[in-house]
């Protein structure tokens, strides 16, 4: 073993962490090499000096602070917690569901318009839009009452119709 | 740690009691400020607690714990480097007390043998300063190797380097310490 190869093993040798075979090889080299022997002794001295650095004890408040910080940590939940609603949300959702079921189960309102009613309204819409004008249209009130067919045996409807048309065309006659 | 993962709060308390002193000491030796070391140690325990559900025992718990601590310490040292340099210019002469806090050197302090006490304090201070002068990664390697007595493999994982690179790192660190502490080393060798 040469001195360069020894460099990476010298500390392990000083610590007693070398394998038996490596230790024997190292001892053989150190016994023959003055420089390496000196370095081993100096590393041992450095290791002993490092032992002299005193240890400190954590302050009395250390544990209390750690416990306080840990207690202040929010509770971590799993991904499935996303699917678990909070009690408030669950209550509100239940109420909404109940209300929906209740409204859906009620009988239809009789005042509700049917499709036929809506069709009739659409048909009458032009008249209804002009209802104000038509309801106050004087000319309509001045119209003579339609002549009721007398029950005289004259039962020809075409003749009656012609008669009504003549009346409307010559109101002053 | 697996018990902590299972939700056992008492096991976390056991971890706290088991590792609080080694962690605070490691961080104190890294950042050289007691209050900051305790803050960082608290942060380490908090991160352990936060990560408990995702903990996978792929490595030793100690390795994982000191990896968190080392990363926090290295970041803190790098962030505060400029500030420390400014403070050190005007810092008064101090002596390390037994509990690790630095206090102003008081020669009139009552002590059975004041001369011997001062020699010991200066000696400790020299050792500490020699450690402080090491580059951060070398310092972390020495502290983990010497004071936590971790295996080379574990330290290599903590520092995210190969075992061979770690041995080289430690060798360079001990070489620097050997030179810095030469007067003490020579006396130690006698």
């Amino acid at each position: 073993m040469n001195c360069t190869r020894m460099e990476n093993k010298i500390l392990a040798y000083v610590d007693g962490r070398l394998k038996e075979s490596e230790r024997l090889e190292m001892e053989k080299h150190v016994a023959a090499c003055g420089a390496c022997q000196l370095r081993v002794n100096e590393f041992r001295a450095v290791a002993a000096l490092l032992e002299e650095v005193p240890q400190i004890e954590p302050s009395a408040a250390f544990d209390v602070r750690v416990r306080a910080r840990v207690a202040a940590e929010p509770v971590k939940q799993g991904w499935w917690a996303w699917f678990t609603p909070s009690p408030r949300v669950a209550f509100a959702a239940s109420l909404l569901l109940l209300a929906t079921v209740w409204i859906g189960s009620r009988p239809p309102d009789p005042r509700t318009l049917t499709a036929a009613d809506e069709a009739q309204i659409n048909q009458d819409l032009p008249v209804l839009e002009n209802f104000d004008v038509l309801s106050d249209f004087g000319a309509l009130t001045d119209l003579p009452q339609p002549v009721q067919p007398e029950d005289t045996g004259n039962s020809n409807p075409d003749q009656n119709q012609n008669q009504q048309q003549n009346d409307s065309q010559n109101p002053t006659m | 740690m697996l018990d902590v993962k299972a939700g056992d709060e008492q096991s976390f308390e056991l971890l706290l009691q088991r590792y609080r002193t080694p962690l605070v000491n490691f961080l104190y030796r890294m950042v050289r400020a007691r209050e900051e070391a305790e803050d960082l140690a608290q942060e380490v325990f908090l991160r352990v607690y936060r990560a408990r559900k995702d903990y996978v025992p792929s490595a030793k718990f100690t390795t994982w714990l000191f990896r968190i601590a080392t990363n926090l310490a290295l970041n803190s040292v790098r962030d505060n480097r400029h500030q420390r340099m400014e403070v050190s210019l005007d810092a008064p002469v101090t002596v390390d007390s037994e509990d690790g806090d630095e206090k102003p050197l008081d020669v009139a302090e009552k002590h059975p043998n004041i001369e011997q006490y001062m020699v010991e304090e200066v000696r400790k201070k020299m050792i500490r300063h020699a450690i402080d002068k090491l580059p951060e990664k070398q310092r972390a390697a020495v502290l983990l190797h010497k004071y936590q007595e971790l295996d080379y493999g574990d330290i290599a994982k903590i520092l995210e380097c190969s075992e061979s690179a770690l041995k080289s790192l430690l060798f360079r660190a001990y070489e620097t310490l050997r030179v810095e502490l030469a007067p003490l080393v020579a006396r130690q060798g006698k």
Side-chain angles (χ1 to χ4, degrees), chain B residues 136-176:
Chain B
E136 297 102 57
K137 208 165 176 180
Q138 285 187 25
R139 196 184 332 156
V142 168
L143 296 177
L144 291 168
H145 169 261
K146 185 64 197 166
Y147 300 109
Q148 306 309 322
E149 296 182 341
L150 297 176
D151 294 340
Y152 290 123
D154 292 335
I155 302 172
K157 279 180 193 162
I158 290 170
L159 296 177
E160 295 172 354
C161 62
S162 67
E163 222 174 296
S164 162
L166 172 75
K167 284 177 181 171
S168 177
L169 197 73
L170 278 169
F171 178 80
R172 290 203 304 276
Y174 269 69
E175 276 291 285
T176 307

Side-chain angles (χ1 to χ4, degrees), chain B residues 37 83 98 104 115:
Chain B
Q83 192 184 346
E98 283 178 6
E115 194 180 339

Side-chain angles (χ1 to χ4, degrees), chain B:
Chain B
M1 186 58 200
L2 291 173
D3 290 337
V4 176
K5 184 180 181 177
D8 185 357
E9 297 290 327
Q10 281 194 331
S11 295
F12 183 76
E13 185 67 25
L14 286 175
L15 285 182
L16 178 63
Q17 297 308 317
R18 165 76 181 80
Y19 290 104
R20 59 203 276 278
T21 305
L23 260 185
V24 169
N25 273 282
F26 169 72
L27 289 164
Y28 173 65
R29 286 163 183 158
M30 281 297 291
V31 300
R32 296 295 293 126
R34 187 186 181 117
E35 200 174 330
E36 192 183 346
E38 290 205 357
D39 284 347
L40 291 174
Q42 285 172 31
E43 185 63 31
V44 174
F45 280 114
L46 202 62
R47 289 190 184 193
V48 167
Y49 185 78
R50 281 179 190 153
R52 69 195 184 285
K53 297 281 183 193
D54 306 318
Y55 175 71
V56 180
S58 57
K60 274 196 227 168
F61 172 72
T62 318
T63 309
W64 182 55
L65 185 77
F66 277 96
R67 190 170 182 170
I68 298 171
T70 303
N71 287 338
L72 281 172
L74 290 175
N75 286 339
S76 174
V77 169
R78 284 163 194 162
D79 290 347
N80 296 333
R81 184 179 291 149
H82 181 63
Q83 192 184 346
R84 274 174 217 285
M85 284 172 73
E86 279 181 350
V87 168
S88 65
L89 290 174
D90 302 319
V93 178
T94 58
V95 62
D96 296 345
S97 65
E98 283 178 6
D99 65 354
D101 285 333
E102 288 195 341
K103 58 184 182 182
L105 186 60
D106 182 8
V107 290
E109 190 174 351
K110 300 293 179 195
H111 201 270
N113 187 339
I114 187 69
E115 194 180 339
Q116 190 185 347
Y117 169 78
M118 287 185 67
V119 168
E120 280 174 16
E121 287 303 323
V122 168
R123 185 184 169 91
K124 281 180 198 168
K125 197 172 177 67
M126 272 184 76
I127 300 168
R128 279 191 160 172
H129 281 197
I131 297 172
D132 291 349
K133 281 175 77 176
L134 292 173
E136 297 102 57
K137 208 165 176 180
Q138 285 187 25
R139 196 184 332 156
V142 168
L143 296 177
L144 291 168
H145 169 261
K146 185 64 197 166
Y147 300 109
Q148 306 309 322
E149 296 182 341
L150 297 176
D151 294 340
Y152 290 123
D154 292 335
I155 302 172
K157 279 180 193 162
I158 290 170
L159 296 177
E160 295 172 354
C161 62
S162 67
E163 222 174 296
S164 162
L166 172 75
K167 284 177 181 171
S168 177
L169 197 73
L170 278 169
F171 178 80
R172 290 203 304 276
Y174 269 69
E175 276 291 285
T176 307
L177 290 172
R178 186 176 69 91
V179 173
E180 286 290 324
L181 299 172
L184 300 181
V185 167
R187 224 174 295 163
Q188 195 88 0
K190 284 178 186 173

Side-chain angles (χ1 to χ4, degrees), chain A residues 54-157:
Chain A
Q55 258 209 349
I56 62 166
E57 277 300 316
S59 65
F62 180 78
D63 289 3
V64 178
R65 286 192 192 130
V66 173
R67 286 185 200 117
R69 288 183 73 177
V70 165
E73 279 291 295
V75 178
K76 193 179 174 186
Q77 294 176 323
W79 60 269
W80 61 87
W82 189 85
F83 295 100
T84 311
S86 72
R88 285 180 195 166
V89 174
F91 181 69
S94 303
L95 280 183
L96 188 65
L97 184 67
L98 281 174
T100 308
V101 170
W102 179 67
I103 289 169
S105 63
R106 283 172 63 198
D109 190 343
R111 291 171 297 178
T112 308
L113 295 175
T114 61
D117 293 335
E118 285 184 5
Q120 183 62 46
I121 288 170
N122 286 337
Q123 192 180 345
D124 295 341
L125 205 56
V127 179
L128 290 172
E129 281 173 349
N130 297 319
F131 179 75
D132 291 342
V133 177
L134 292 173
S135 63
D136 199 24
F137 193 55
L140 289 176
T141 55
D142 294 340
L143 284 174
Q145 292 298 316
V147 177
Q148 296 297 324
E150 290 177 10
D151 199 13
T152 57
N154 185 7
S155 57
N156 188 354

